[in-house]
Amino acid sequence: EAGVAQSPRYKIIEKRQSVAFWCNPISGHATLYWYQQILGQGPKLLIQFQNNGVVDDSQLPKDRFSAERLKGVDSTLKIQPAKLEDSAVYLCASSPPRGSPSSYEQYFGPGTRLTVT
Amino acid sequence: AQSVSQHNHHVILSEAASLELGCNYSYGGTVNLFWYVQYPGQHLQLLLKYFSGDPLVKGIKGFEAEFIKSKFSFNLRKPSVQWSDTAEYFCAVTVHTNAGKSTFGDGTTLTVKP
């Protein structure tokens, strides 16, 4: 089974520029998560999708961050404009459908390391 | 809102030593509890989980964790660590009534000296 795919793996941009990250979850996984992981901290949930609907985006800075999951499969996360404090690893994860034995287990991608200068 | 606290930021052990990493969470309702591990250069991956039933759960590579509801704790243990256990370990809690929202601790870096 193919894992969660993310691209790009690394990105360096200047502040005030925009950037987009892409995630393709494991086939059949209904739940998709985007996390921000700042160095020395644990992953912080930005947004959670169930199929193509948002179930939690309470920690997403909506003035600059946006995310979509068209057709309930792959997803993009965008930052516009970027700030220095956005430098972090952005992780995508997916989980099997609710009701399956492993429905709350998360499978993570390799992450995108963003550096804002 | 739920929160997770991992007490040790960095643990250094010699091979064959015993390991216990602390994890406490704050939430009064039903939770699922997880330990994830990130080996150097690899993705975060599931180590073990607690959903219900026996509070002592076993995971991969000889790890186990005990859920103590009265203490809101889910500590990770291994009787004898190996050099290959060097990694970062994250405790996480998922709340069913909050759309399955997960909260992670800040992680513990384990270094095992050969």
Side-chain angles (χ1 to χ4, degrees), chain B:
Chain B
Q2 69 257 36
S3 65
V4 177
S5 175
Q6 292 184 239
H7 315 299
N8 313 100
H9 295 293
H10 195 177
V11 173
I12 302 173
L13 296 173
S14 297
E15 277 195 312
S18 63
L19 170 72
E20 181 160 4
L21 301 183
C23 173
N24 285 89
Y25 66 95
S26 65
Y27 185 76
T30 302
V31 296
N32 293 340
L33 297 159
F34 303 85
W35 277 96
Y36 287 87
V37 61
Q38 187 166 25
Y39 297 103
Q42 297 187 23
H43 308 179
L44 268 167
Q45 58 184 280
L46 182 68
L47 192 59
L48 50 76
K49 64 184 180 184
Y50 172 79
F51 276 21
S52 63
D54 188 344
L56 183 63
V57 293
K58 297 189 184 298
I60 59 173
K61 303 186 180 184
F63 285 89
E64 64 179 31
E66 185 176 13
F67 171 50
I68 303 179
K69 189 174 182 179
S70 61
K71 295 184 177 180
F72 297 90
S73 70
F74 190 55
N75 292 352
L76 181 70
R77 301 194 292 248
K78 186 172 184 179
S80 176
V81 295
Q82 300 174 313
W83 175 79
S84 58
D85 294 325
T86 294
E88 191 158 18
Y89 294 81
F90 293 92
C91 181
V93 59
T94 298
V95 176
H96 282 240
T97 55
N98 197 8
K101 178 179 177 179
S102 293
T103 301
F104 283 74
D106 281 337
T108 297
T109 301
L110 171 65
T111 301
V112 180
K113 298 184 294 184

Side-chain angles (χ1 to χ4, degrees), chain A residues 31 33 48 50 55-56 98 104, chain B residues 94-101:
Chain A
T31 309
Y33 314 79
Q48 178 177 335
Q50 184 74 16
V55 296
D56 189 290
R98 294 288 181 258
Y104 290 104
Chain B
T94 298
V95 176
H96 282 240
T97 55
N98 197 8
K101 178 179 177 179

Side-chain angles (χ1 to χ4, degrees), chain A residues 47-75:
Chain A
I47 188 166
Q48 178 177 335
F49 293 94
Q50 184 74 16
N51 297 307
N52 60 346
V54 175
V55 296
D56 189 290
D57 63 356
S58 57
Q59 298 189 96
L60 186 74
K62 298 180 185 64
D63 58 334
R64 298 184 301 105
F65 286 64
S66 65
E68 61 182 9
R69 190 183 185 196
L70 299 175
K71 301 180 182 178
V73 182
D74 56 350
S75 175

Side-chain angles (χ1 to χ4, degrees), chain A residues 86-102:
Chain A
D86 299 331
S87 293
V89 175
Y90 290 84
L91 296 168
C92 180
S94 66
S95 292
R98 294 288 181 258
S100 67
S102 55

